[in-house]
Amino acid sequence: MTTDFLPLNGTDYIELYVSNALQAAHFYKTAFGFQSLAYAGLRTGMKDRESYVLVQDKIRLVLTSPLYKGSDIGRHIDEHGDAVKVVALWVDDATKAFEETTKRGASPYMEPNVIEDEHGRVVQSGIYTYGETVHIFIERKDYHGTFLPGFEKWESNYNPTSTGLKYVDHMVGNVPLGEMNKWVSFYEDVMGFKQIISFDDKDISTEYTALMSKVVSNGNGRIKFPINEPAAGLKKSQVEEYLDFYGTAGVQHMAIATDNIIETIRELQSRGIDFLHVPTTYYEELAARVGPIDEDIETLGKLGILVDRDDEGYLLQIFTKPLEPRPTLFFEIIQRKGATSFGKGNFKALFEAIEREQALRGTL
Ligand code: FE2
């Protein structure tokens, strides 16, 4: 057994570049039940951007907008729309993380550097992954502040209740045709991940569209990144549609775990989040497909929650519609009851649902 050259403790934060971070923060608080955590901007001496940090259990979302024209953040928003820029990873040694990955071929995004305030010090560094997406390594063992140096605690009078979201289960990237294996190799060779699952177009195809997907995971299994590429179909696949609107490879969805998906989805739907719906026939066939489950199938059907089983157990999952005007980023809500897979048995029903949405958008 070789030692893990890139030990990762978990996801540190997800940063989105958005056109109006103040309003986006309100949306994620109201609709998804995030809480205000920290702020950086003009009031804290940050001159060129404003960032709002939200938290729910182990998930931290950072929403950032530029303050002036001509910025790289503004260009990113123009090219990709509101989008995930940073998938930050929590490490014990950000300098070593940078050295180990760049010597194996990663493109540097941020040289190791120390940021400090009265609450301690953080070392951070960063590398590029697919498209314009980056991984920032955060070493925070000597830091006791709210989020990061440069941020102040954000006290808000508006604190909507949690919707039961717990942690990031996986983050999915869409890459152009022919690039899936290149990015799987990147995670294997440069970051020391292992491929744990692969689907081909026979697993994931409908009458019209197909995609291929491989899932890579780090050594302790806390970080899982499925990578999708489009496969040839009669019409435009959802991955191609994503790439058309996003302009390059990027994060397609972020899957967030809950331990009570029925309560979470009731809450999210009541707060205005729209989910993809599968036909009612899905639920007629469900018991035969997945066997006995704890949940009432009629309740799952009313909420549109999907179920899949693997050798280790089952999982419940549901997908939001895109969370911005472009059909790009969406969220998945997932509850695992033993299953360690990603819902392969749901792909067909789900993609047919996505195609109905594509047809309505005129992009199928
Ligand atoms: Fe997923």
Side-chain angles (χ1 to χ4, degrees), residues 12 90-95 112-125 137-150:
D12 196 281
W90 175 29
V91 298
D92 290 330
D93 188 338
T95 307
N113 65 94
V114 177
I115 42 176
E116 289 181 272
D117 65 12
E118 68 270 29
H119 305 291
R121 70 200 290 271
V122 166
V123 186
Q124 55 177 357
S125 66
F137 301 114
I138 300 286
E139 171 188 333
R140 52 170 71 255
K141 58 181 185 293
D142 300 317
Y143 193 67
H144 308 286
T146 304
F147 176 56
L148 289 174

Side-chain angles (χ1 to χ4, degrees), residues 170 172 226 253 255 317 319 332 342:
H170 59 275
V172 181
H253 75 267
Q317 65 187 164
F319 299 83
E332 170 183 351
F342 295 85

Side-chain angles (χ1 to χ4, degrees), residues 169-172 226 228 252-256 317 319 330-334 336 341-343 347:
D169 185 276
H170 59 275
M171 299 279 304
V172 181
N228 297 333
Q252 177 212 40
H253 75 267
M254 174 168 150
I256 303 179
Q317 65 187 164
F319 299 83
F330 60 88
F331 279 18
E332 170 183 351
I333 310 297
I334 183 166
R336 295 187 179 278
S341 53
F342 295 85
F347 287 168

